[in-house]
Amino acid sequence: MLQLSANLNTYLIIAAFLFGIGFYGLINRRTLIGMLISAELILSGASLNFMAFNRFLAPDPVVGQVFTLFIMGIAAAEAAIALSIIIAVYRNYKSIAAEDLNDLKG
Amino acid sequence: MNQLLTAQGLAGVVFLTVSAAVVIGALIAVNSKRLIRAVTGLCLCLIGVAGLYYFLNSPFLALMEILIYVGAVGVSIAFAIMLADPRPEKKGNRATGLGAVFGFIGGGFLTWGLIKTGLSTHWQGAAEKVNDGSMLQLGKSLLTTYSMVFELISVVLLIAIIGSLALGRRGRSNGPGKISG
């Protein structure tokens, strides 16, 4: 039990759970903000996978850290854009439920 | 019980705690009825992920995870909920019927497949490492090898900020909602 943190498989299992839970939430949520939260979970699962392989297998342990930093930057940009779109949608439709957004020209 | 009181034992307990925080936080984030609780679960999950990064020998990324995700993304999602979600209980927040079943089966299948692939593959480690992956090496390679990508991602972030400001203003001034501002 105490050697779990020095084992690649532990991190792979945790990352797989994060990815699967995020996918479930992305299908299951009805509101746009809930979908955005689930997408963040999926991105975290991918980053955790990168970091685990970077720590245990990669010849250059800097590459995975740089890649994870760039994933964080892209995720921050994505969250900013998505939230401003959500607020603009809310001003027009008075709702953020995905099934209410059914007009092509709102 | 004596084994738990050594340094390694305490590290193991901390590791189990952050792993549990990741999974429980993710479950709260996708299952809670109110969106603000989902954001809290997301923040708990991301703090756990930062702890896992610390166990993976990169304290810089752990700090960045807390700063960017928990600090910036979590707080801005909370603000968006306050601006855009006054009646959270109007219709219920989760899909029912076919969507829920499909999501559960798809997520379970993905998790099972990823775990099975990860455990059944024989991963071959590198023969030797060219550096130790410390913060010093990370900074050097960010400003030499990856400097172009570094600049590009700065431009992407700038465009994202300008774009979100423009989107917010346009929705306010001439949308069909007729809210003048």
Side-chain angles (χ1 to χ4, degrees), chain A residues 28-31 40 47 51 55 57 59-60 62 65 91 106, chain B residues 29 32 53 58 69 93 95 126 129-131 133 141 168:
Chain A
N28 207 7
R29 281 285 188 195
R30 279 178 160 177
T31 58
E40 298 288 339
S47 308
M51 290 297 290
R55 160 78 173 77
L57 301 178
D60 185 358
V62 160
Q65 300 188 40
R91 286 212 183 96
Chain B
S32 64
Y53 286 172
S58 35
Y69 270 117
N93 224 341
K129 306 205 168 191
V130 294
N131 58 46
S141 65

mmCIF file with all atom_site columns, all heavy atoms in Angstrom, chain A residues 28-31 40 47 51 55 57 59-60 62 65 91 106, chain B residues 29 32 53 58 69 93 95 126 129-131 133 141 168:
data_model
loop_
_atom_site.group_PDB
_atom_site.id
_atom_site.type_symbol
_atom_site.label_atom_id
_atom_site.label_alt_id
_atom_site.label_comp_id
_atom_site.label_asym_id
_atom_site.label_entity_id
_atom_site.label_seq_id
_atom_site.pdbx_PDB_ins_code
_atom_site.Cartn_x
_atom_site.Cartn_y
_atom_site.Cartn_z
_atom_site.occupancy
_atom_site.B_iso_or_equiv
_atom_site.pdbx_formal_charge
_atom_site.auth_seq_id
_atom_site.auth_comp_id
_atom_site.auth_asym_id
_atom_site.auth_atom_id
_atom_site.pdbx_PDB_model_num
ATOM 1   N N   . ASN A 1 28  ? -24.141 13.675 -19.603 1.00 0.00 ? 28  ASN A N   1
ATOM 2   C CA  . ASN A 1 28  ? -25.258 13.659 -18.680 1.00 0.00 ? 28  ASN A CA  1
ATOM 3   C C   . ASN A 1 28  ? -25.768 15.052 -18.313 1.00 0.00 ? 28  ASN A C   1
ATOM 4   O O   . ASN A 1 28  ? -26.927 15.220 -18.001 1.00 0.00 ? 28  ASN A O   1
ATOM 5   C CB  . ASN A 1 28  ? -24.794 12.944 -17.411 1.00 0.00 ? 28  ASN A CB  1
ATOM 6   C CG  . ASN A 1 28  ? -25.934 12.295 -16.696 1.00 0.00 ? 28  ASN A CG  1
ATOM 7   O OD1 . ASN A 1 28  ? -27.038 12.265 -17.217 1.00 0.00 ? 28  ASN A OD1 1
ATOM 8   N ND2 . ASN A 1 28  ? -25.677 11.807 -15.524 1.00 0.00 ? 28  ASN A ND2 1
ATOM 9   N N   . ARG A 1 29  ? -24.887 16.054 -18.334 1.00 0.00 ? 29  ARG A N   1
ATOM 10  C CA  . ARG A 1 29  ? -25.282 17.385 -17.891 1.00 0.00 ? 29  ARG A CA  1
ATOM 11  C C   . ARG A 1 29  ? -26.208 18.054 -18.897 1.00 0.00 ? 29  ARG A C   1
ATOM 12  O O   . ARG A 1 29  ? -26.071 17.851 -20.102 1.00 0.00 ? 29  ARG A O   1
ATOM 13  C CB  . ARG A 1 29  ? -24.048 18.259 -17.714 1.00 0.00 ? 29  ARG A CB  1
ATOM 14  C CG  . ARG A 1 29  ? -23.326 17.995 -16.437 1.00 0.00 ? 29  ARG A CG  1
ATOM 15  C CD  . ARG A 1 29  ? -24.070 18.572 -15.305 1.00 0.00 ? 29  ARG A CD  1
ATOM 16  N NE  . ARG A 1 29  ? -23.281 18.481 -14.079 1.00 0.00 ? 29  ARG A NE  1
ATOM 17  C CZ  . ARG A 1 29  ? -23.793 18.653 -12.887 1.00 0.00 ? 29  ARG A CZ  1
ATOM 18  N NH1 . ARG A 1 29  ? -25.060 18.908 -12.771 1.00 0.00 ? 29  ARG A NH1 1
ATOM 19  N NH2 . ARG A 1 29  ? -23.041 18.568 -11.825 1.00 0.00 ? 29  ARG A NH2 1
ATOM 20  N N   . ARG A 1 30  ? -27.113 18.869 -18.376 1.00 0.00 ? 30  ARG A N   1
ATOM 21  C CA  . ARG A 1 30  ? -28.018 19.576 -19.275 1.00 0.00 ? 30  ARG A CA  1
ATOM 22  C C   . ARG A 1 30  ? -27.633 21.016 -19.490 1.00 0.00 ? 30  ARG A C   1
ATOM 23  O O   . ARG A 1 30  ? -28.076 21.635 -20.445 1.00 0.00 ? 30  ARG A O   1
ATOM 24  C CB  . ARG A 1 30  ? -29.420 19.559 -18.700 1.00 0.00 ? 30  ARG A CB  1
ATOM 25  C CG  . ARG A 1 30  ? -30.144 18.285 -18.950 1.00 0.00 ? 30  ARG A CG  1
ATOM 26  C CD  . ARG A 1 30  ? -31.459 18.394 -18.297 1.00 0.00 ? 30  ARG A CD  1
ATOM 27  N NE  . ARG A 1 30  ? -32.384 17.437 -18.848 1.00 0.00 ? 30  ARG A NE  1
ATOM 28  C CZ  . ARG A 1 30  ? -33.607 17.299 -18.393 1.00 0.00 ? 30  ARG A CZ  1
ATOM 29  N NH1 . ARG A 1 30  ? -34.012 18.072 -17.409 1.00 0.00 ? 30  ARG A NH1 1
ATOM 30  N NH2 . ARG A 1 30  ? -34.414 16.429 -18.922 1.00 0.00 ? 30  ARG A NH2 1
ATOM 31  N N   . THR A 1 31  ? -26.862 21.588 -18.589 1.00 0.00 ? 31  THR A N   1
ATOM 32  C CA  . THR A 1 31  ? -26.522 22.997 -18.742 1.00 0.00 ? 31  THR A CA  1
ATOM 33  C C   . THR A 1 31  ? -25.134 23.150 -19.324 1.00 0.00 ? 31  THR A C   1
ATOM 34  O O   . THR A 1 31  ? -24.283 22.269 -19.211 1.00 0.00 ? 31  THR A O   1
ATOM 35  C CB  . THR A 1 31  ? -26.565 23.701 -17.387 1.00 0.00 ? 31  THR A CB  1
ATOM 36  O OG1 . THR A 1 31  ? -25.663 23.036 -16.521 1.00 0.00 ? 31  THR A OG1 1
ATOM 37  C CG2 . THR A 1 31  ? -27.936 23.643 -16.796 1.00 0.00 ? 31  THR A CG2 1
ATOM 38  N N   . GLU A 1 40  ? -13.372 20.242 -18.275 1.00 0.00 ? 40  GLU A N   1
ATOM 39  C CA  . GLU A 1 40  ? -12.164 20.476 -17.469 1.00 0.00 ? 40  GLU A CA  1
ATOM 40  C C   . GLU A 1 40  ? -11.675 19.179 -16.825 1.00 0.00 ? 40  GLU A C   1
ATOM 41  O O   . GLU A 1 40  ? -10.471 18.943 -16.722 1.00 0.00 ? 40  GLU A O   1
ATOM 42  C CB  . GLU A 1 40  ? -12.445 21.504 -16.379 1.00 0.00 ? 40  GLU A CB  1
ATOM 43  C CG  . GLU A 1 40  ? -12.849 22.871 -16.876 1.00 0.00 ? 40  GLU A CG  1
ATOM 44  C CD  . GLU A 1 40  ? -11.689 23.607 -17.498 1.00 0.00 ? 40  GLU A CD  1
ATOM 45  O OE1 . GLU A 1 40  ? -10.550 23.256 -17.208 1.00 0.00 ? 40  GLU A OE1 1
ATOM 46  O OE2 . GLU A 1 40  ? -11.934 24.520 -18.280 1.00 0.00 ? 40  GLU A OE2 1
ATOM 47  N N   . SER A 1 47  ? -3.912  15.475 -18.741 1.00 0.00 ? 47  SER A N   1
ATOM 48  C CA  . SER A 1 47  ? -2.682  16.060 -18.194 1.00 0.00 ? 47  SER A CA  1
ATOM 49  C C   . SER A 1 47  ? -2.022  15.112 -17.202 1.00 0.00 ? 47  SER A C   1
ATOM 50  O O   . SER A 1 47  ? -0.793  14.981 -17.190 1.00 0.00 ? 47  SER A O   1
ATOM 51  C CB  . SER A 1 47  ? -2.981  17.374 -17.490 1.00 0.00 ? 47  SER A CB  1
ATOM 52  O OG  . SER A 1 47  ? -3.698  18.221 -18.304 1.00 0.00 ? 47  SER A OG  1
ATOM 53  N N   . MET A 1 51  ? 1.761   13.603 -17.253 1.00 0.00 ? 51  MET A N   1
ATOM 54  C CA  . MET A 1 51  ? 2.716   13.767 -16.165 1.00 0.00 ? 51  MET A CA  1
ATOM 55  C C   . MET A 1 51  ? 3.221   12.422 -15.667 1.00 0.00 ? 51  MET A C   1
ATOM 56  O O   . MET A 1 51  ? 4.399   12.274 -15.330 1.00 0.00 ? 51  MET A O   1
ATOM 57  C CB  . MET A 1 51  ? 2.077   14.537 -15.019 1.00 0.00 ? 51  MET A CB  1
ATOM 58  C CG  . MET A 1 51  ? 1.834   15.969 -15.317 1.00 0.00 ? 51  MET A CG  1
ATOM 59  S SD  . MET A 1 51  ? 3.355   16.817 -15.605 1.00 0.00 ? 51  MET A SD  1
ATOM 60  C CE  . MET A 1 51  ? 4.030   16.803 -13.972 1.00 0.00 ? 51  MET A CE  1
ATOM 61  N N   . ARG A 1 55  ? 7.093   11.254 -15.768 1.00 0.00 ? 55  ARG A N   1
ATOM 62  C CA  . ARG A 1 55  ? 7.881   10.944 -14.572 1.00 0.00 ? 55  ARG A CA  1
ATOM 63  C C   . ARG A 1 55  ? 8.552   9.582  -14.671 1.00 0.00 ? 55  ARG A C   1
ATOM 64  O O   . ARG A 1 55  ? 9.705   9.421  -14.281 1.00 0.00 ? 55  ARG A O   1
ATOM 65  C CB  . ARG A 1 55  ? 6.958   10.995 -13.355 1.00 0.00 ? 55  ARG A CB  1
ATOM 66  C CG  . ARG A 1 55  ? 7.411   10.282 -12.119 1.00 0.00 ? 55  ARG A CG  1
ATOM 67  C CD  . ARG A 1 55  ? 8.444   11.062 -11.360 1.00 0.00 ? 55  ARG A CD  1
ATOM 68  N NE  . ARG A 1 55  ? 8.740   10.417 -10.095 1.00 0.00 ? 55  ARG A NE  1
ATOM 69  C CZ  . ARG A 1 55  ? 9.506   9.340  -9.955  1.00 0.00 ? 55  ARG A CZ  1
ATOM 70  N NH1 . ARG A 1 55  ? 10.028  8.785  -11.015 1.00 0.00 ? 55  ARG A NH1 1
ATOM 71  N NH2 . ARG A 1 55  ? 9.728   8.816  -8.766  1.00 0.00 ? 55  ARG A NH2 1
ATOM 72  N N   . LEU A 1 57  ? 8.694   7.249  -17.559 1.00 0.00 ? 57  LEU A N   1
ATOM 73  C CA  . LEU A 1 57  ? 9.208   6.644  -18.782 1.00 0.00 ? 57  LEU A CA  1
ATOM 74  C C   . LEU A 1 57  ? 10.045  7.570  -19.651 1.00 0.00 ? 57  LEU A C   1
ATOM 75  O O   . LEU A 1 57  ? 10.890  7.099  -20.378 1.00 0.00 ? 57  LEU A O   1
ATOM 76  C CB  . LEU A 1 57  ? 8.044   6.115  -19.634 1.00 0.00 ? 57  LEU A CB  1
ATOM 77  C CG  . LEU A 1 57  ? 7.155   5.067  -18.971 1.00 0.00 ? 57  LEU A CG  1
ATOM 78  C CD1 . LEU A 1 57  ? 6.053   4.682  -19.906 1.00 0.00 ? 57  LEU A CD1 1
ATOM 79  C CD2 . LEU A 1 57  ? 7.960   3.870  -18.600 1.00 0.00 ? 57  LEU A CD2 1
ATOM 80  N N   . PRO A 1 59  ? 12.691  10.013 -21.444 1.00 0.00 ? 59  PRO A N   1
ATOM 81  C CA  . PRO A 1 59  ? 14.122  10.282 -21.263 1.00 0.00 ? 59  PRO A CA  1
ATOM 82  C C   . PRO A 1 59  ? 14.390  11.719 -20.822 1.00 0.00 ? 59  PRO A C   1
ATOM 83  O O   . PRO A 1 59  ? 15.348  11.960 -20.116 1.00 0.00 ? 59  PRO A O   1
ATOM 84  C CB  . PRO A 1 59  ? 14.717  9.999  -22.641 1.00 0.00 ? 59  PRO A CB  1
ATOM 85  C CG  . PRO A 1 59  ? 13.586  10.131 -23.564 1.00 0.00 ? 59  PRO A CG  1
ATOM 86  C CD  . PRO A 1 59  ? 12.370  9.692  -22.829 1.00 0.00 ? 59  PRO A CD  1
ATOM 87  N N   . ASP A 1 60  ? 13.538  12.645 -21.236 1.00 0.00 ? 60  ASP A N   1
ATOM 88  C CA  . ASP A 1 60  ? 13.713  14.048 -20.842 1.00 0.00 ? 60  ASP A CA  1
ATOM 89  C C   . ASP A 1 60  ? 12.531  14.448 -19.972 1.00 0.00 ? 60  ASP A C   1
ATOM 90  O O   . ASP A 1 60  ? 11.437  14.673 -20.485 1.00 0.00 ? 60  ASP A O   1
ATOM 91  C CB  . ASP A 1 60  ? 13.784  14.930 -22.092 1.00 0.00 ? 60  ASP A CB  1
ATOM 92  C CG  . ASP A 1 60  ? 14.080  16.363 -21.730 1.00 0.00 ? 60  ASP A CG  1
ATOM 93  O OD1 . ASP A 1 60  ? 14.189  16.657 -20.532 1.00 0.00 ? 60  ASP A OD1 1
ATOM 94  O OD2 . ASP A 1 60  ? 14.202  17.185 -22.649 1.00 0.00 ? 60  ASP A OD2 1
ATOM 95  N N   . VAL A 1 62  ? 11.470  17.012 -18.745 1.00 0.00 ? 62  VAL A N   1
ATOM 96  C CA  . VAL A 1 62  ? 10.947  18.368 -18.843 1.00 0.00 ? 62  VAL A CA  1
ATOM 97  C C   . VAL A 1 62  ? 9.783   18.429 -19.822 1.00 0.00 ? 62  VAL A C   1
ATOM 98  O O   . VAL A 1 62  ? 8.843   19.198 -19.648 1.00 0.00 ? 62  VAL A O   1
ATOM 99  C CB  . VAL A 1 62  ? 12.091  19.324 -19.245 1.00 0.00 ? 62  VAL A CB  1
ATOM 100 C CG1 . VAL A 1 62  ? 11.571  20.599 -19.830 1.00 0.00 ? 62  VAL A CG1 1
ATOM 101 C CG2 . VAL A 1 62  ? 12.937  19.630 -18.039 1.00 0.00 ? 62  VAL A CG2 1
ATOM 102 N N   . GLN A 1 65  ? 6.198   18.144 -18.531 1.00 0.00 ? 65  GLN A N   1
ATOM 103 C CA  . GLN A 1 65  ? 5.809   19.307 -17.729 1.00 0.00 ? 65  GLN A CA  1
ATOM 104 C C   . GLN A 1 65  ? 5.478   20.493 -18.616 1.00 0.00 ? 65  GLN A C   1
ATOM 105 O O   . GLN A 1 65  ? 4.491   21.205 -18.385 1.00 0.00 ? 65  GLN A O   1
ATOM 106 C CB  . GLN A 1 65  ? 6.940   19.676 -16.776 1.00 0.00 ? 65  GLN A CB  1
ATOM 107 C CG  . GLN A 1 65  ? 7.299   18.569 -15.827 1.00 0.00 ? 65  GLN A CG  1
ATOM 108 C CD  . GLN A 1 65  ? 8.273   19.043 -14.787 1.00 0.00 ? 65  GLN A CD  1
ATOM 109 O OE1 . GLN A 1 65  ? 8.160   20.139 -14.279 1.00 0.00 ? 65  GLN A OE1 1
ATOM 110 N NE2 . GLN A 1 65  ? 9.244   18.211 -14.472 1.00 0.00 ? 65  GLN A NE2 1
ATOM 111 N N   . ARG A 1 91  ? -28.007 36.105 -21.929 1.00 0.00 ? 91  ARG A N   1
ATOM 112 C CA  . ARG A 1 91  ? -28.677 37.394 -22.138 1.00 0.00 ? 91  ARG A CA  1
ATOM 113 C C   . ARG A 1 91  ? -29.753 37.280 -23.211 1.00 0.00 ? 91  ARG A C   1
ATOM 114 O O   . ARG A 1 91  ? -30.777 37.954 -23.143 1.00 0.00 ? 91  ARG A O   1
ATOM 115 C CB  . ARG A 1 91  ? -27.649 38.436 -22.568 1.00 0.00 ? 91  ARG A CB  1
ATOM 116 C CG  . ARG A 1 91  ? -26.775 38.862 -21.422 1.00 0.00 ? 91  ARG A CG  1
ATOM 117 C CD  . ARG A 1 91  ? -26.373 40.300 -21.578 1.00 0.00 ? 91  ARG A CD  1
ATOM 118 N NE  . ARG A 1 91  ? -25.482 40.668 -20.492 1.00 0.00 ? 91  ARG A NE  1
ATOM 119 C CZ  . ARG A 1 91  ? -24.174 40.640 -20.615 1.00 0.00 ? 91  ARG A CZ  1
ATOM 120 N NH1 . ARG A 1 91  ? -23.622 40.289 -21.766 1.00 0.00 ? 91  ARG A NH1 1
ATOM 121 N NH2 . ARG A 1 91  ? -23.416 40.978 -19.601 1.00 0.00 ? 91  ARG A NH2 1
ATOM 122 N N   . GLY A 1 106 ? -31.022 33.451 -33.366 1.00 0.00 ? 106 GLY A N   1
ATOM 123 C CA  . GLY A 1 106 ? -31.665 33.834 -32.125 1.00 0.00 ? 106 GLY A CA  1
ATOM 124 C C   . GLY A 1 106 ? -31.979 35.307 -32.128 1.00 0.00 ? 106 GLY A C   1
ATOM 125 O O   . GLY A 1 106 ? -32.624 35.837 -31.294 1.00 0.00 ? 106 GLY A O   1
ATOM 126 N N   . ALA B 2 29  ? -18.517 16.775 -8.863  1.00 0.00 ? 29  ALA B N   1
ATOM 127 C CA  . ALA B 2 29  ? -18.618 17.724 -9.966  1.00 0.00 ? 29  ALA B CA  1
ATOM 128 C C   . ALA B 2 29  ? -19.611 17.275 -11.019 1.00 0.00 ? 29  ALA B C   1
ATOM 129 O O   . ALA B 2 29  ? -20.239 18.108 -11.658 1.00 0.00 ? 29  ALA B O   1
ATOM 130 C CB  . ALA B 2 29  ? -17.245 17.945 -10.606 1.00 0.00 ? 29  ALA B CB  1
ATOM 131 N N   . SER B 2 32  ? -23.741 16.537 -8.683  1.00 0.00 ? 32  SER B N   1
ATOM 132 C CA  . SER B 2 32  ? -24.503 17.380 -7.786  1.00 0.00 ? 32  SER B CA  1
ATOM 133 C C   . SER B 2 32  ? -25.604 18.110 -8.539  1.00 0.00 ? 32  SER B C   1
ATOM 134 O O   . SER B 2 32  ? -25.491 18.377 -9.737  1.00 0.00 ? 32  SER B O   1
ATOM 135 C CB  . SER B 2 32  ? -23.587 18.392 -7.116  1.00 0.00 ? 32  SER B CB  1
ATOM 136 O OG  . SER B 2 32  ? -23.074 19.240 -8.098  1.00 0.00 ? 32  SER B OG  1
ATOM 137 N N   . TYR B 2 53  ? 0.532   15.846 -8.801  1.00 0.00 ? 53  TYR B N   1
ATOM 138 C CA  . TYR B 2 53  ? 1.682   16.421 -9.513  1.00 0.00 ? 53  TYR B CA  1
ATOM 139 C C   . TYR B 2 53  ? 2.867   16.554 -8.573  1.00 0.00 ? 53  TYR B C   1
ATOM 140 O O   . TYR B 2 53  ? 4.013   16.354 -8.972  1.00 0.00 ? 53  TYR B O   1
ATOM 141 C CB  . TYR B 2 53  ? 1.346   17.791 -10.080 1.00 0.00 ? 53  TYR B CB  1
ATOM 142 C CG  . TYR B 2 53  ? 0.458   17.764 -11.295 1.00 0.00 ? 53  TYR B CG  1
ATOM 143 C CD1 . TYR B 2 53  ? -0.069  18.934 -11.820 1.00 0.00 ? 53  TYR B CD1 1
ATOM 144 C CD2 . TYR B 2 53  ? 0.142   16.579 -11.917 1.00 0.00 ? 53  TYR B CD2 1
ATOM 145 C CE1 . TYR B 2 53  ? -0.881  18.922 -12.914 1.00 0.00 ? 53  TYR B CE1 1
ATOM 146 C CE2 . TYR B 2 53  ? -0.671  16.553 -13.009 1.00 0.00 ? 53  TYR B CE2 1
ATOM 147 C CZ  . TYR B 2 53  ? -1.182  17.730 -13.505 1.00 0.00 ? 53  TYR B CZ  1
ATOM 148 O OH  . TYR B 2 53  ? -1.992  17.714 -14.592 1.00 0.00 ? 53  TYR B OH  1
ATOM 149 N N   . SER B 2 58  ? 7.058   17.280 -9.585  1.00 0.00 ? 58  SER B N   1
ATOM 150 C CA  . SER B 2 58  ? 7.029   18.589 -10.227 1.00 0.00 ? 58  SER B CA  1
ATOM 151 C C   . SER B 2 58  ? 6.224   19.554 -9.366  1.00 0.00 ? 58  SER B C   1
ATOM 152 O O   . SER B 2 58  ? 5.044   19.786 -9.637  1.00 0.00 ? 58  SER B O   1
ATOM 153 C CB  . SER B 2 58  ? 6.462   18.499 -11.631 1.00 0.00 ? 58  SER B CB  1
ATOM 154 O OG  . SER B 2 58  ? 5.470   17.542 -11.677 1.00 0.00 ? 58  SER B OG  1
ATOM 155 N N   . TYR B 2 69  ? -6.002  26.721 -12.315 1.00 0.00 ? 69  TYR B N   1
ATOM 156 C CA  . TYR B 2 69  ? -7.295  26.044 -12.331 1.00 0.00 ? 69  TYR B CA  1
ATOM 157 C C   . TYR B 2 69  ? -8.172  26.463 -11.153 1.00 0.00 ? 69  TYR B C   1
ATOM 158 O O   . TYR B 2 69  ? -9.257  26.998 -11.319 1.00 0.00 ? 69  TYR B O   1
ATOM 159 C CB  . TYR B 2 69  ? -7.103  24.534 -12.315 1.00 0.00 ? 69  TYR B CB  1
ATOM 160 C CG  . TYR B 2 69  ? -7.013  23.936 -13.677 1.00 0.00 ? 69  TYR B CG  1
ATOM 161 C CD1 . TYR B 2 69  ? -5.883  23.289 -14.112 1.00 0.00 ? 69  TYR B CD1 1
ATOM 162 C CD2 . TYR B 2 69  ? -8.090  24.028 -14.541 1.00 0.00 ? 69  TYR B CD2 1
ATOM 163 C CE1 . TYR B 2 69  ? -5.811  22.745 -15.370 1.00 0.00 ? 69  TYR B CE1 1
ATOM 164 C CE2 . TYR B 2 69  ? -8.025  23.491 -15.795 1.00 0.00 ? 69  TYR B CE2 1
ATOM 165 C CZ  . TYR B 2 69  ? -6.871  22.847 -16.199 1.00 0.00 ? 69  TYR B CZ  1
ATOM 166 O OH  . TYR B 2 69  ? -6.816  22.315 -17.434 1.00 0.00 ? 69  TYR B OH  1
ATOM 167 N N   . ASN B 2 93  ? -31.023 19.341 -13.387 1.00 0.00 ? 93  ASN B N   1
ATOM 168 C CA  . ASN B 2 93  ? -29.752 19.669 -14.008 1.00 0.00 ? 93  ASN B CA  1
ATOM 169 C C   . ASN B 2 93  ? -29.153 18.520 -14.784 1.00 0.00 ? 93  ASN B C   1
ATOM 170 O O   . ASN B 2 93  ? -28.147 18.675 -15.463 1.00 0.00 ? 93  ASN B O   1
ATOM 171 C CB  . ASN B 2 93  ? -28.782 20.087 -12.908 1.00 0.00 ? 93  ASN B CB  1
ATOM 172 C CG  . ASN B 2 93  ? -28.020 21.291 -13.302 1.00 0.00 ? 93  ASN B CG  1
ATOM 173 O OD1 . ASN B 2 93  ? -27.954 21.580 -14.490 1.00 0.00 ? 93  ASN B OD1 1
ATOM 174 N ND2 . ASN B 2 93  ? -27.460 21.973 -12.353 1.00 0.00 ? 93  ASN B ND2 1
ATOM 175 N N   . ALA B 2 95  ? -29.567 14.888 -17.251 1.00 0.00 ? 95  ALA B N   1
ATOM 176 C CA  . ALA B 2 95  ? -30.402 14.190 -18.207 1.00 0.00 ? 95  ALA B CA  1
ATOM 177 C C   . ALA B 2 95  ? -31.040 12.978 -17.548 1.00 0.00 ? 95  ALA B C   1
ATOM 178 O O   . ALA B 2 95  ? -30.567 12.470 -16.544 1.00 0.00 ? 95  ALA B O   1
ATOM 179 C CB  . ALA B 2 95  ? -29.561 13.748 -19.403 1.00 0.00 ? 95  ALA B CB  1
ATOM 180 N N   . ALA B 2 126 ? 12.873  4.707  -20.267 1.00 0.00 ? 126 ALA B N   1
ATOM 181 C CA  . ALA B 2 126 ? 14.070  5.160  -20.959 1.00 0.00 ? 126 ALA B CA  1
ATOM 182 C C   . ALA B 2 126 ? 15.307  4.623  -20.244 1.00 0.00 ? 126 ALA B C   1
ATOM 183 O O   . ALA B 2 126 ? 15.298  4.398  -19.030 1.00 0.00 ? 126 ALA B O   1
ATOM 184 C CB  . ALA B 2 126 ? 14.114  6.679  -20.997 1.00 0.00 ? 126 ALA B CB  1
ATOM 185 N N   . LYS B 2 129 ? 18.133  9.208  -18.169 1.00 0.00 ? 129 LYS B N   1
ATOM 186 C CA  . LYS B 2 129 ? 17.478  10.504 -18.295 1.00 0.00 ? 129 LYS B CA  1
ATOM 187 C C   . LYS B 2 129 ? 18.519  11.574 -18.541 1.00 0.00 ? 129 LYS B C   1
ATOM 188 O O   . LYS B 2 129 ? 19.598  11.548 -17.954 1.00 0.00 ? 129 LYS B O   1
ATOM 189 C CB  . LYS B 2 129 ? 16.694  10.813 -17.020 1.00 0.00 ? 129 LYS B CB  1
ATOM 190 C CG  . LYS B 2 129 ? 15.733  9.690  -16.680 1.00 0.00 ? 129 LYS B CG  1
ATOM 191 C CD  . LYS B 2 129 ? 14.589  10.174 -15.860 1.00 0.00 ? 129 LYS B CD  1
ATOM 192 C CE  . LYS B 2 129 ? 13.522  9.098  -15.793 1.00 0.00 ? 129 LYS B CE  1
ATOM 193 N NZ  . LYS B 2 129 ? 12.278  9.541  -15.254 1.00 0.00 ? 129 LYS B NZ  1
ATOM 194 N N   . VAL B 2 130 ? 18.166  12.542 -19.430 1.00 0.00 ? 130 VAL B N   1
ATOM 195 C CA  . VAL B 2 130 ? 19.158  13.548 -19.791 1.00 0.00 ? 130 VAL B CA  1
ATOM 196 C C   . VAL B 2 130 ? 19.235  14.653 -18.743 1.00 0.00 ? 130 VAL B C   1
ATOM 197 O O   . VAL B 2 130 ? 20.235  15.345 -18.650 1.00 0.00 ? 130 VAL B O   1
ATOM 198 C CB  . VAL B 2 130 ? 18.854  14.144 -21.175 1.00 0.00 ? 130 VAL B CB  1
ATOM 199 C CG1 . VAL B 2 130 ? 19.017  13.084 -22.235 1.00 0.00 ? 130 VAL B CG1 1
ATOM 200 C CG2 . VAL B 2 130 ? 17.472  14.712 -21.218 1.00 0.00 ? 130 VAL B CG2 1
ATOM 201 N N   . ASN B 2 131 ? 18.185  14.860 -17.956 1.00 0.00 ? 131 ASN B N   1
ATOM 202 C CA  . ASN B 2 131 ? 18.286  15.803 -16.836 1.00 0.00 ? 131 ASN B CA  1
ATOM 203 C C   . ASN B 2 131 ? 17.328  15.339 -15.743 1.00 0.00 ? 131 ASN B C   1
ATOM 204 O O   . ASN B 2 131 ? 16.650  14.319 -15.880 1.00 0.00 ? 131 ASN B O   1
ATOM 205 C CB  . ASN B 2 131 ? 17.993  17.239 -17.287 1.00 0.00 ? 131 ASN B CB  1
ATOM 206 C CG  . ASN B 2 131 ? 16.630  17.371 -17.907 1.00 0.00 ? 131 ASN B CG  1
ATOM 207 O OD1 . ASN B 2 131 ? 15.656  16.870 -17.364 1.00 0.00 ? 131 ASN B OD1 1
ATOM 208 N ND2 . ASN B 2 131 ? 16.548  18.022 -19.053 1.00 0.00 ? 131 ASN B ND2 1
ATOM 209 N N   . GLY B 2 133 ? 14.703  17.040 -14.504 1.00 0.00 ? 133 GLY B N   1
ATOM 210 C CA  . GLY B 2 133 ? 13.338  17.560 -14.554 1.00 0.00 ? 133 GLY B CA  1
ATOM 211 C C   . GLY B 2 133 ? 13.013  18.559 -13.463 1.00 0.00 ? 133 GLY B C   1
ATOM 212 O O   . GLY B 2 133 ? 11.855  18.716 -13.105 1.00 0.00 ? 133 GLY B O   1
ATOM 213 N N   . SER B 2 141 ? 14.433  25.173 -20.473 1.00 0.00 ? 141 SER B N   1
ATOM 214 C CA  . SER B 2 141 ? 13.905  24.674 -21.741 1.00 0.00 ? 141 SER B CA  1
ATOM 215 C C   . SER B 2 141 ? 12.702  25.490 -22.190 1.00 0.00 ? 141 SER B C   1
ATOM 216 O O   . SER B 2 141 ? 12.443  25.585 -23.389 1.00 0.00 ? 141 SER B O   1
ATOM 217 C CB  . SER B 2 141 ? 13.554  23.199 -21.625 1.00 0.00 ? 141 SER B CB  1
ATOM 218 O OG  . SER B 2 141 ? 12.517  23.056 -20.722 1.00 0.00 ? 141 SER B OG  1
ATOM 219 N N   . GLY B 2 168 ? -18.772 39.567 -24.600 1.00 0.00 ? 168 GLY B N   1
ATOM 220 C CA  . GLY B 2 168 ? -19.594 40.060 -23.504 1.00 0.00 ? 168 GLY B CA  1
ATOM 221 C C   . GLY B 2 168 ? -20.258 41.380 -23.831 1.00 0.00 ? 168 GLY B C   1
ATOM 222 O O   . GLY B 2 168 ? -21.434 41.587 -23.559 1.00 0.00 ? 168 GLY B O   1
#
